[in-house]
Amino acid sequence: MSSGAKRVTTRTLQEMKERGEKVAVLTAYDAIMAGIFDRSRIDVILVGDSVANVVQGHETTLPVTLDEIIYHTKAVTRGVERAMVVADLPFMSFQVSAEEAFRNAGRIMKETLAGAVKLEGGRENLEAVRRMTAAGIPVMGHLGLQPQSIHLYGGYRPRGKETDEAEQIMEDAIALEKAGAFSIVLEKVPAELARTVTDALTIPTIGIGAGAGCDGQVLVYADMMGLTIDFNPRFVRRYESFAERAADAAKRYAADVKSGDFPNADESYS
């Protein structure tokens, strides 16, 4: 049943930037978590290619496919009434050509009912961004550390510390805005650079490891909730310790099953 909540859109996010209201973004990959976050007034839910790490167990985001992103985005949109759902364009779904990027973005929008797509990279994707936005497909950019290019970078170190790279990030951000992007994720860049980029743009920036000067923040929900144990980047704040709590619950369940305490008479049918 509909709650009557007003859907978050690109216009909503633009208005939030203009009045200085921060945008809260989390990832989700299924209907249950998406519904919880939606009811918690998260503004944007990102179906990230981080599903490769969080759900599939891969070391990088590269293996996830377009069909898998579509599958998970369908699940997320079924659980959401208010939040804007953004789906990642995965590795090799947009790099071949602007035509292929446009077609794959259109497929995501048509098959999943998402509100937008996200793609990594700057100037090399401007034609694709222009084609998508001209056809009514909202595009979120992604600059700074780009996980799909991790083998090129050779590691997960911050981007934009050197002057040349910082200038390129700034130029790419401005170019993406001119091409029609409605927002840009800034990942793992110096806080001062992120603030400068944010101030230079009229569209919202969403930071992850980019300091407090961005217009919003995004975290992978498994990191935020303490489900990931061996991943401890400095930009993650853990709001829960779900890995420990889930392990404890599983141990208590197993003990009750083995002792014969579960199920009891009230949990059985006569």
Side-chain angles (χ1 to χ4, degrees):
M1 181 179 295
S2 175
S3 65
K6 187 176 180 180
R7 177 76 73 171
V8 175
T9 66
T10 57
R11 184 172 182 175
T12 308
L13 300 183
Q14 186 64 47
E15 292 172 347
M16 290 174 72
K17 177 182 175 85
E18 290 169 1
R19 64 175 177 262
E21 179 182 350
K22 298 288 189 178
V23 180
V25 186
L26 281 174
T27 66
Y29 319 105
D30 60 73
I32 290 178
M33 294 309 302
I36 291 171
F37 297 154
D38 191 47
R39 292 189 294 275
S40 303
R41 307 295 288 183
I42 295 299
D43 300 305
V44 178
I45 296 177
L46 172 64
V47 186
D49 56 6
S50 51
V51 67
N53 313 108
V54 176
V55 177
Q56 299 175 342
H58 294 294
E59 291 187 5
T60 73
T61 63
L62 274 64
V64 69
T65 68
L66 179 65
D67 285 339
E68 289 166 343
I69 289 290
I70 288 173
Y71 172 88
H72 285 281
T73 306
K74 284 180 177 180
V76 166
T77 56
R78 293 187 195 109
V80 169
E81 292 185 359
R82 173 186 174 271
M84 182 179 193
V85 177
V86 179
D88 255 336
L89 280 162
F91 181 63
M92 293 309 294
S93 68
F94 64 92
Q95 290 94 336
V96 174
S97 68
E99 174 64 28
E100 185 168 320
F102 173 59
R103 184 164 47 247
N104 288 335
R107 187 178 165 207
I108 287 175
M109 297 294 290
K110 188 174 181 66
E111 295 183 28
T112 71
L113 304 181
V117 298
K118 181 174 79 65
L119 79 170
E120 296 181 9
R123 62 197 68 186
E124 67 275 19
N125 296 322
L126 296 180
E127 182 183 352
V129 173
R130 283 191 288 264
R131 291 199 64 176
M132 292 176 199
T133 56
I137 300 174
V139 179
M140 177 181 283
H142 185 142
L143 298 172
L145 178 67
Q146 298 167 39
Q148 293 180 16
S149 301
I150 194 60
H151 293 310
L152 178 65
Y153 295 150
Y156 289 94
R157 69 175 181 85
R159 313 301 303 180
K161 284 192 169 184
E162 294 79 19
T163 300
D164 289 348
E165 192 171 54
E167 290 176 352
Q168 180 175 332
I169 290 171
M170 174 64 82
E171 292 171 3
D172 282 346
I174 293 172
L176 283 169
E177 178 178 313
K178 289 181 178 178
F182 73 90
S183 179
I184 298 175
V185 170
L186 298 175
E187 180 168 359
K188 220 168 181 181
V189 302
E192 183 178 352
L193 172 61
R195 186 181 296 276
T196 301
V197 171
T198 299
D199 291 343
L201 300 179
T202 62
I203 60 174
T205 60
I206 307 297
I208 178 167
C214 296
D215 296 305
Q217 299 292 327
V218 59
L219 283 177
V220 172
Y221 92 88
D223 300 334
M224 182 273 291
M225 300 180 94
L227 285 166
T228 47
I229 300 173
D230 299 324
F231 182 65
N232 297 292
R234 66 185 297 174
F235 60 81
V236 169
R237 181 182 295 181
R238 285 183 164 80
Y239 287 82
E240 261 294 353
S241 301
F242 273 17
E244 295 174 8
R245 292 176 61 182
D248 178 66
K251 289 175 183 177
R252 289 187 284 113
Y253 163 73
D256 286 350
V257 170
K258 293 179 184 298
S259 69
D261 182 67
F262 176 79
N264 59 31
D266 290 338
E267 295 159 336
S268 303
Y269 296 97
S270 59

PDB file of all heavy atoms in Angstrom, residues 168-198:
ATOM      1  N   GLN A 168      42.232  17.938 -13.493  1.00  0.00           N
ATOM      2  CA  GLN A 168      41.448  17.099 -14.394  1.00  0.00           C
ATOM      3  C   GLN A 168      40.096  16.745 -13.779  1.00  0.00           C
ATOM      4  O   GLN A 168      39.075  16.741 -14.470  1.00  0.00           O
ATOM      5  CB  GLN A 168      42.209  15.814 -14.720  1.00  0.00           C
ATOM      6  CG  GLN A 168      41.442  14.891 -15.673  1.00  0.00           C
ATOM      7  CD  GLN A 168      42.241  13.677 -16.081  1.00  0.00           C
ATOM      8  OE1 GLN A 168      43.471  13.712 -16.121  1.00  0.00           O
ATOM      9  NE2 GLN A 168      41.546  12.589 -16.391  1.00  0.00           N
ATOM     10  N   ILE A 169      40.088  16.455 -12.475  1.00  0.00           N
ATOM     11  CA  ILE A 169      38.823  16.148 -11.807  1.00  0.00           C
ATOM     12  C   ILE A 169      37.882  17.350 -11.874  1.00  0.00           C
ATOM     13  O   ILE A 169      36.684  17.207 -12.156  1.00  0.00           O
ATOM     14  CB  ILE A 169      39.080  15.716 -10.349  1.00  0.00           C
ATOM     15  CG1 ILE A 169      39.744  14.337 -10.320  1.00  0.00           C
ATOM     16  CG2 ILE A 169      37.782  15.698  -9.543  1.00  0.00           C
ATOM     17  CD1 ILE A 169      40.238  13.904  -8.960  1.00  0.00           C
ATOM     18  N   MET A 170      38.422  18.538 -11.628  1.00  0.00           N
ATOM     19  CA  MET A 170      37.610  19.743 -11.716  1.00  0.00           C
ATOM     20  C   MET A 170      37.064  19.945 -13.130  1.00  0.00           C
ATOM     21  O   MET A 170      35.866  20.207 -13.323  1.00  0.00           O
ATOM     22  CB  MET A 170      38.425  20.966 -11.296  1.00  0.00           C
ATOM     23  CG  MET A 170      37.705  22.300 -11.503  1.00  0.00           C
ATOM     24  SD  MET A 170      36.227  22.487 -10.489  1.00  0.00           S
ATOM     25  CE  MET A 170      36.996  23.020  -8.954  1.00  0.00           C
ATOM     26  N   GLU A 171      37.922  19.809 -14.127  1.00  0.00           N
ATOM     27  CA  GLU A 171      37.497  19.987 -15.520  1.00  0.00           C
ATOM     28  C   GLU A 171      36.449  18.954 -15.911  1.00  0.00           C
ATOM     29  O   GLU A 171      35.462  19.276 -16.590  1.00  0.00           O
ATOM     30  CB  GLU A 171      38.711  19.905 -16.447  1.00  0.00           C
ATOM     31  CG  GLU A 171      39.675  21.082 -16.302  1.00  0.00           C
ATOM     32  CD  GLU A 171      40.968  20.872 -17.070  1.00  0.00           C
ATOM     33  OE1 GLU A 171      41.089  19.824 -17.764  1.00  0.00           O
ATOM     34  OE2 GLU A 171      41.864  21.743 -16.974  1.00  0.00           O
ATOM     35  N   ASP A 172      36.655  17.711 -15.479  1.00  0.00           N
ATOM     36  CA  ASP A 172      35.689  16.658 -15.804  1.00  0.00           C
ATOM     37  C   ASP A 172      34.343  16.918 -15.136  1.00  0.00           C
ATOM     38  O   ASP A 172      33.286  16.678 -15.722  1.00  0.00           O
ATOM     39  CB  ASP A 172      36.227  15.298 -15.374  1.00  0.00           C
ATOM     40  CG  ASP A 172      37.266  14.734 -16.336  1.00  0.00           C
ATOM     41  OD1 ASP A 172      37.378  15.262 -17.456  1.00  0.00           O
ATOM     42  OD2 ASP A 172      37.954  13.767 -15.964  1.00  0.00           O
ATOM     43  N   ALA A 173      34.371  17.408 -13.900  1.00  0.00           N
ATOM     44  CA  ALA A 173      33.127  17.690 -13.190  1.00  0.00           C
ATOM     45  C   ALA A 173      32.324  18.767 -13.908  1.00  0.00           C
ATOM     46  O   ALA A 173      31.104  18.636 -14.106  1.00  0.00           O
ATOM     47  CB  ALA A 173      33.424  18.117 -11.753  1.00  0.00           C
ATOM     48  N   ILE A 174      32.995  19.827 -14.313  1.00  0.00           N
ATOM     49  CA  ILE A 174      32.314  20.910 -15.033  1.00  0.00           C
ATOM     50  C   ILE A 174      31.781  20.410 -16.371  1.00  0.00           C
ATOM     51  O   ILE A 174      30.659  20.734 -16.778  1.00  0.00           O
ATOM     52  CB  ILE A 174      33.274  22.099 -15.216  1.00  0.00           C
ATOM     53  CG1 ILE A 174      33.588  22.737 -13.857  1.00  0.00           C
ATOM     54  CG2 ILE A 174      32.674  23.135 -16.167  1.00  0.00           C
ATOM     55  CD1 ILE A 174      34.674  23.783 -13.896  1.00  0.00           C
ATOM     56  N   ALA A 175      32.575  19.586 -17.055  1.00  0.00           N
ATOM     57  CA  ALA A 175      32.157  19.051 -18.349  1.00  0.00           C
ATOM     58  C   ALA A 175      30.959  18.124 -18.203  1.00  0.00           C
ATOM     59  O   ALA A 175      30.039  18.145 -19.037  1.00  0.00           O
ATOM     60  CB  ALA A 175      33.322  18.314 -19.008  1.00  0.00           C
ATOM     61  N   LEU A 176      30.933  17.307 -17.143  1.00  0.00           N
ATOM     62  CA  LEU A 176      29.794  16.418 -16.922  1.00  0.00           C
ATOM     63  C   LEU A 176      28.526  17.213 -16.650  1.00  0.00           C
ATOM     64  O   LEU A 176      27.444  16.871 -17.142  1.00  0.00           O
ATOM     65  CB  LEU A 176      30.083  15.472 -15.750  1.00  0.00           C
ATOM     66  CG  LEU A 176      31.006  14.288 -16.037  1.00  0.00           C
ATOM     67  CD1 LEU A 176      31.414  13.597 -14.739  1.00  0.00           C
ATOM     68  CD2 LEU A 176      30.340  13.291 -16.981  1.00  0.00           C
ATOM     69  N   GLU A 177      28.656  18.290 -15.872  1.00  0.00           N
ATOM     70  CA  GLU A 177      27.484  19.135 -15.628  1.00  0.00           C
ATOM     71  C   GLU A 177      26.976  19.737 -16.935  1.00  0.00           C
ATOM     72  O   GLU A 177      25.763  19.727 -17.202  1.00  0.00           O
ATOM     73  CB  GLU A 177      27.814  20.232 -14.634  1.00  0.00           C
ATOM     74  CG  GLU A 177      26.638  21.167 -14.386  1.00  0.00           C
ATOM     75  CD  GLU A 177      26.929  22.248 -13.362  1.00  0.00           C
ATOM     76  OE1 GLU A 177      27.471  21.929 -12.295  1.00  0.00           O
ATOM     77  OE2 GLU A 177      26.594  23.411 -13.638  1.00  0.00           O
ATOM     78  N   LYS A 178      27.877  20.247 -17.753  1.00  0.00           N
ATOM     79  CA  LYS A 178      27.467  20.838 -19.028  1.00  0.00           C
ATOM     80  C   LYS A 178      26.836  19.809 -19.956  1.00  0.00           C
ATOM     81  O   LYS A 178      25.957  20.132 -20.756  1.00  0.00           O
ATOM     82  CB  LYS A 178      28.672  21.490 -19.695  1.00  0.00           C
ATOM     83  CG  LYS A 178      29.150  22.756 -19.006  1.00  0.00           C
ATOM     84  CD  LYS A 178      30.339  23.369 -19.731  1.00  0.00           C
ATOM     85  CE  LYS A 178      30.789  24.668 -19.068  1.00  0.00           C
ATOM     86  NZ  LYS A 178      31.977  25.252 -19.735  1.00  0.00           N
ATOM     87  N   ALA A 179      27.287  18.542 -19.841  1.00  0.00           N
ATOM     88  CA  ALA A 179      26.738  17.481 -20.680  1.00  0.00           C
ATOM     89  C   ALA A 179      25.360  17.033 -20.220  1.00  0.00           C
ATOM     90  O   ALA A 179      24.669  16.318 -20.944  1.00  0.00           O
ATOM     91  CB  ALA A 179      27.689  16.286 -20.703  1.00  0.00           C
ATOM     92  N   GLY A 180      24.967  17.456 -19.002  1.00  0.00           N
ATOM     93  CA  GLY A 180      23.623  17.157 -18.526  1.00  0.00           C
ATOM     94  C   GLY A 180      23.524  16.314 -17.282  1.00  0.00           C
ATOM     95  O   GLY A 180      22.413  16.013 -16.829  1.00  0.00           O
ATOM     96  N   ALA A 181      24.659  15.892 -16.694  1.00  0.00           N
ATOM     97  CA  ALA A 181      24.597  15.101 -15.461  1.00  0.00           C
ATOM     98  C   ALA A 181      23.867  15.882 -14.371  1.00  0.00           C
ATOM     99  O   ALA A 181      24.033  17.095 -14.255  1.00  0.00           O
ATOM    100  CB  ALA A 181      26.009  14.734 -15.000  1.00  0.00           C
ATOM    101  N   PHE A 182      23.062  15.199 -13.564  1.00  0.00           N
ATOM    102  CA  PHE A 182      22.292  15.874 -12.517  1.00  0.00           C
ATOM    103  C   PHE A 182      23.011  15.847 -11.177  1.00  0.00           C
ATOM    104  O   PHE A 182      22.622  16.558 -10.247  1.00  0.00           O
ATOM    105  CB  PHE A 182      20.909  15.246 -12.364  1.00  0.00           C
ATOM    106  CG  PHE A 182      20.904  13.888 -11.698  1.00  0.00           C
ATOM    107  CD1 PHE A 182      20.779  13.766 -10.322  1.00  0.00           C
ATOM    108  CD2 PHE A 182      21.018  12.729 -12.452  1.00  0.00           C
ATOM    109  CE1 PHE A 182      20.772  12.528  -9.708  1.00  0.00           C
ATOM    110  CE2 PHE A 182      21.016  11.484 -11.852  1.00  0.00           C
ATOM    111  CZ  PHE A 182      20.894  11.384 -10.474  1.00  0.00           C
ATOM    112  N   SER A 183      24.062  15.031 -11.066  1.00  0.00           N
ATOM    113  CA  SER A 183      24.803  14.903  -9.815  1.00  0.00           C
ATOM    114  C   SER A 183      26.112  14.190 -10.110  1.00  0.00           C
ATOM    115  O   SER A 183      26.234  13.505 -11.134  1.00  0.00           O
ATOM    116  CB  SER A 183      23.984  14.108  -8.787  1.00  0.00           C
ATOM    117  OG  SER A 183      24.699  13.964  -7.576  1.00  0.00           O
ATOM    118  N   ILE A 184      27.091  14.326  -9.204  1.00  0.00           N
ATOM    119  CA  ILE A 184      28.381  13.666  -9.388  1.00  0.00           C
ATOM    120  C   ILE A 184      28.857  13.110  -8.059  1.00  0.00           C
ATOM    121  O   ILE A 184      28.896  13.830  -7.052  1.00  0.00           O
ATOM    122  CB  ILE A 184      29.445  14.631  -9.950  1.00  0.00           C
ATOM    123  CG1 ILE A 184      29.026  15.141 -11.333  1.00  0.00           C
ATOM    124  CG2 ILE A 184      30.813  13.946 -10.036  1.00  0.00           C
ATOM    125  CD1 ILE A 184      29.960  16.203 -11.904  1.00  0.00           C
ATOM    126  N   VAL A 185      29.216  11.831  -8.052  1.00  0.00           N
ATOM    127  CA  VAL A 185      29.867  11.223  -6.904  1.00  0.00           C
ATOM    128  C   VAL A 185      31.353  11.567  -6.950  1.00  0.00           C
ATOM    129  O   VAL A 185      31.990  11.458  -8.002  1.00  0.00           O
ATOM    130  CB  VAL A 185      29.686   9.688  -6.903  1.00  0.00           C
ATOM    131  CG1 VAL A 185      30.578   9.029  -5.847  1.00  0.00           C
ATOM    132  CG2 VAL A 185      28.228   9.325  -6.665  1.00  0.00           C
ATOM    133  N   LEU A 186      31.891  11.988  -5.823  1.00  0.00           N
ATOM    134  CA  LEU A 186      33.322  12.241  -5.684  1.00  0.00           C
ATOM    135  C   LEU A 186      33.870  11.242  -4.677  1.00  0.00           C
ATOM    136  O   LEU A 186      33.530  11.296  -3.490  1.00  0.00           O
ATOM    137  CB  LEU A 186      33.579  13.664  -5.197  1.00  0.00           C
ATOM    138  CG  LEU A 186      33.105  14.790  -6.125  1.00  0.00           C
ATOM    139  CD1 LEU A 186      33.303  16.148  -5.456  1.00  0.00           C
ATOM    140  CD2 LEU A 186      33.837  14.744  -7.465  1.00  0.00           C
ATOM    141  N   GLU A 187      34.693  10.310  -5.158  1.00  0.00           N
ATOM    142  CA  GLU A 187      35.185   9.238  -4.294  1.00  0.00           C
ATOM    143  C   GLU A 187      36.664   9.399  -3.980  1.00  0.00           C
ATOM    144  O   GLU A 187      37.490   9.506  -4.885  1.00  0.00           O
ATOM    145  CB  GLU A 187      34.936   7.863  -4.928  1.00  0.00           C
ATOM    146  CG  GLU A 187      35.438   6.718  -4.058  1.00  0.00           C
ATOM    147  CD  GLU A 187      34.972   5.346  -4.493  1.00  0.00           C
ATOM    148  OE1 GLU A 187      34.219   5.259  -5.489  1.00  0.00           O
ATOM    149  OE2 GLU A 187      35.350   4.354  -3.848  1.00  0.00           O
ATOM    150  N   LYS A 188      36.959   9.388  -2.716  1.00  0.00           N
ATOM    151  CA  LYS A 188      38.325   9.331  -2.194  1.00  0.00           C
ATOM    152  C   LYS A 188      39.206  10.408  -2.815  1.00  0.00           C
ATOM    153  O   LYS A 188      40.265  10.133  -3.389  1.00  0.00           O
ATOM    154  CB  LYS A 188      38.921   7.938  -2.423  1.00  0.00           C
ATOM    155  CG  LYS A 188      39.757   7.445  -1.251  1.00  0.00           C
ATOM    156  CD  LYS A 188      40.085   5.969  -1.370  1.00  0.00           C
ATOM    157  CE  LYS A 188      40.909   5.535  -0.159  1.00  0.00           C
ATOM    158  NZ  LYS A 188      41.287   4.105  -0.221  1.00  0.00           N
ATOM    159  N   VAL A 189      38.760  11.647  -2.695  1.00  0.00           N
ATOM    160  CA  VAL A 189      39.555  12.799  -3.122  1.00  0.00           C
ATOM    161  C   VAL A 189      39.763  13.696  -1.903  1.00  0.00           C
ATOM    162  O   VAL A 189      39.001  13.637  -0.939  1.00  0.00           O
ATOM    163  CB  VAL A 189      38.873  13.586  -4.262  1.00  0.00           C
ATOM    164  CG1 VAL A 189      38.616  12.691  -5.472  1.00  0.00           C
ATOM    165  CG2 VAL A 189      37.573  14.220  -3.797  1.00  0.00           C
ATOM    166  N   PRO A 190      40.797  14.531  -1.896  1.00  0.00           N
ATOM    167  CA  PRO A 190      41.029  15.420  -0.759  1.00  0.00           C
ATOM    168  C   PRO A 190      39.811  16.287  -0.462  1.00  0.00           C
ATOM    169  O   PRO A 190      39.128  16.763  -1.376  1.00  0.00           O
ATOM    170  CB  PRO A 190      42.223  16.257  -1.213  1.00  0.00           C
ATOM    171  CG  PRO A 190      42.937  15.391  -2.198  1.00  0.00           C
ATOM    172  CD  PRO A 190      41.858  14.645  -2.911  1.00  0.00           C
ATOM    173  N   ALA A 191      39.539  16.497   0.815  1.00  0.00           N
ATOM    174  CA  ALA A 191      38.353  17.248   1.223  1.00  0.00           C
ATOM    175  C   ALA A 191      38.332  18.651   0.631  1.00  0.00           C
ATOM    176  O   ALA A 191      37.275  19.153   0.224  1.00  0.00           O
ATOM    177  CB  ALA A 191      38.278  17.312   2.746  1.00  0.00           C
ATOM    178  N   GLU A 192      39.496  19.290   0.562  1.00  0.00           N
ATOM    179  CA  GLU A 192      39.547  20.645   0.015  1.00  0.00           C
ATOM    180  C   GLU A 192      39.172  20.670  -1.458  1.00  0.00           C
ATOM    181  O   GLU A 192      38.444  21.558  -1.926  1.00  0.00           O
ATOM    182  CB  GLU A 192      40.940  21.241   0.212  1.00  0.00           C
ATOM    183  CG  GLU A 192      41.064  22.685  -0.263  1.00  0.00           C
ATOM    184  CD  GLU A 192      42.446  23.272  -0.021  1.00  0.00           C
ATOM    185  OE1 GLU A 192      43.269  22.623   0.653  1.00  0.00           O
ATOM    186  OE2 GLU A 192      42.686  24.393  -0.514  1.00  0.00           O
ATOM    187  N   LEU A 193      39.665  19.675  -2.213  1.00  0.00           N
ATOM    188  CA  LEU A 193      39.323  19.584  -3.632  1.00  0.00           C
ATOM    189  C   LEU A 193      37.831  19.338  -3.800  1.00  0.00           C
ATOM    190  O   LEU A 193      37.170  19.962  -4.644  1.00  0.00           O
ATOM    191  CB  LEU A 193      40.126  18.476  -4.296  1.00  0.00           C
ATOM    192  CG  LEU A 193      39.737  18.130  -5.741  1.00  0.00           C
ATOM    193  CD1 LEU A 193      39.918  19.335  -6.661  1.00  0.00           C
ATOM    194  CD2 LEU A 193      40.560  16.942  -6.247  1.00  0.00           C
ATOM    195  N   ALA A 194      37.277  18.411  -3.002  1.00  0.00           N
ATOM    196  CA  ALA A 194      35.849  18.104  -3.105  1.00  0.00           C
ATOM    197  C   ALA A 194      34.995  19.336  -2.823  1.00  0.00           C
ATOM    198  O   ALA A 194      33.993  19.582  -3.502  1.00  0.00           O
ATOM    199  CB  ALA A 194      35.490  16.978  -2.145  1.00  0.00           C
ATOM    200  N   ARG A 195      35.394  20.125  -1.834  1.00  0.00           N
ATOM    201  CA  ARG A 195      34.652  21.344  -1.524  1.00  0.00           C
ATOM    202  C   ARG A 195      34.743  22.351  -2.670  1.00  0.00           C
ATOM    203  O   ARG A 195      33.750  23.012  -3.023  1.00  0.00           O
ATOM    204  CB  ARG A 195      35.173  21.970  -0.232  1.00  0.00           C
ATOM    205  CG  ARG A 195      34.363  23.174   0.244  1.00  0.00           C
ATOM    206  CD  ARG A 195      34.940  23.760   1.516  1.00  0.00           C
ATOM    207  NE  ARG A 195      34.863  22.840   2.634  1.00  0.00           N
ATOM    208  CZ  ARG A 195      33.777  22.682   3.403  1.00  0.00           C
ATOM    209  NH1 ARG A 195      32.689  23.405   3.148  1.00  0.00           N
ATOM    210  NH2 ARG A 195      33.786  21.840   4.411  1.00  0.00           N
ATOM    211  N   THR A 196      35.933  22.457  -3.266  1.00  0.00           N
ATOM    212  CA  THR A 196      36.120  23.390  -4.381  1.00  0.00           C
ATOM    213  C   THR A 196      35.266  22.982  -5.573  1.00  0.00           C
ATOM    214  O   THR A 196      34.626  23.825  -6.222  1.00  0.00           O
ATOM    215  CB  THR A 196      37.601  23.439  -4.788  1.00  0.00           C
ATOM    216  OG1 THR A 196      38.381  23.855  -3.665  1.00  0.00           O
ATOM    217  CG2 THR A 196      37.824  24.410  -5.937  1.00  0.00           C
ATOM    218  N   VAL A 197      35.250  21.684  -5.877  1.00  0.00           N
ATOM    219  CA  VAL A 197      34.423  21.185  -6.973  1.00  0.00           C
ATOM    220  C   VAL A 197      32.948  21.442  -6.669  1.00  0.00           C
ATOM    221  O   VAL A 197      32.187  21.901  -7.539  1.00  0.00           O
ATOM    222  CB  VAL A 197      34.674  19.681  -7.212  1.00  0.00           C
ATOM    223  CG1 VAL A 197      33.668  19.112  -8.207  1.00  0.00           C
ATOM    224  CG2 VAL A 197      36.096  19.446  -7.707  1.00  0.00           C
ATOM    225  N   THR A 198      32.543  21.154  -5.448  1.00  0.00           N
ATOM    226  CA  THR A 198      31.146  21.347  -5.048  1.00  0.00           C
ATOM    227  C   THR A 198      30.711  22.801  -5.217  1.00  0.00           C
ATOM    228  O   THR A 198      29.619  23.094  -5.719  1.00  0.00           O
ATOM    229  CB  THR A 198      30.950  20.901  -3.586  1.00  0.00           C
ATOM    230  OG1 THR A 198      31.279  19.514  -3.476  1.00  0.00           O
ATOM    231  CG2 THR A 198      29.520  21.128  -3.127  1.00  0.00           C
TER     232      THR A 198
END
